[in-house]
Amino acid sequence: MRNALKTCITACTPKTMPAAVRAAFEAELLRARDCAPDTAAMWDALERAHIISQAWAWPHTRAHWHMFRLAVRCRDRAETVGQVVRILVAGAGSATGRVPYGNTGRTAAGLFTPMPLPEDLRVLLGRARGVSAT
């Protein structure tokens, strides 16, 4: 099932993630894992991974999957339900370019709320200040 979903989402995304961006994304996922059991630090790393991944369907969906798993681990029902919704729409949002750039991906952030990009991620992603998409 996972491979079929990945194939479907990847087919809908015409561009591939640049190597430097991919490395930063994977590093944040690794940092989230290595920060356990510090859930605040884990959330911080996953939020950054989410911001990095928003333009690419499969990585974006992966970020939400990891957030879902952490929400379950934290026994946070509202966050868990919010992440299920986001898993369902993340790939399509990325494929169509309709994502709120800078959004941390958490339920409290709002599904369509763009947010300022942290400076280091803005530089990494090559985004001009104040540019956002919905």
Side-chain angles (χ1 to χ4, degrees):
M1 171 74 174
R2 180 179 173 184
N3 288 337
L5 179 61
K6 180 179 179 181
T7 302
C8 179
I9 291 172
T10 302
C12 295
T13 307
K15 58 188 182 231
T16 59
M17 188 180 257
V21 176
R22 169 73 65 187
F25 172 69
E26 296 295 342
E28 291 295 346
L29 293 181
L30 182 62
R31 184 169 72 93
R33 188 189 76 194
D34 291 346
C35 286
D38 181 352
T39 56
M42 293 172 76
W43 278 118
D44 179 64
L46 292 177
E47 288 172 358
R48 288 176 55 81
H50 175 266
I51 293 167
I52 293 167
S53 71
Q54 285 182 295
W56 296 275
W58 180 244
H60 188 189
T61 304
R62 277 183 63 206
H64 282 295
W65 170 250
H66 286 281
M67 290 178 154
F68 167 78
R69 291 177 57 206
L70 183 54
V72 169
R73 178 180 178 170
C74 293
R75 297 188 174 149
D76 184 335
R77 288 183 186 181
E79 189 70 45
T80 300
V81 171
Q83 290 305 322
V84 168
V85 171
R86 284 158 175 77
I87 287 168
L88 294 173
V89 301
S94 293
T96 61
R98 295 182 53 85
V99 294
Y101 289 107
N103 186 296
T104 62
R106 299 287 302 275
T107 300
L111 195 57
F112 301 107
T113 307
M115 301 171 131
L117 286 141
E119 182 64 21
D120 63 323
L121 298 185
R122 187 187 65 76
V123 171
L124 173 72
L125 297 170
R127 300 197 68 79
R129 278 190 204 272
V131 173
S132 64
T134 54

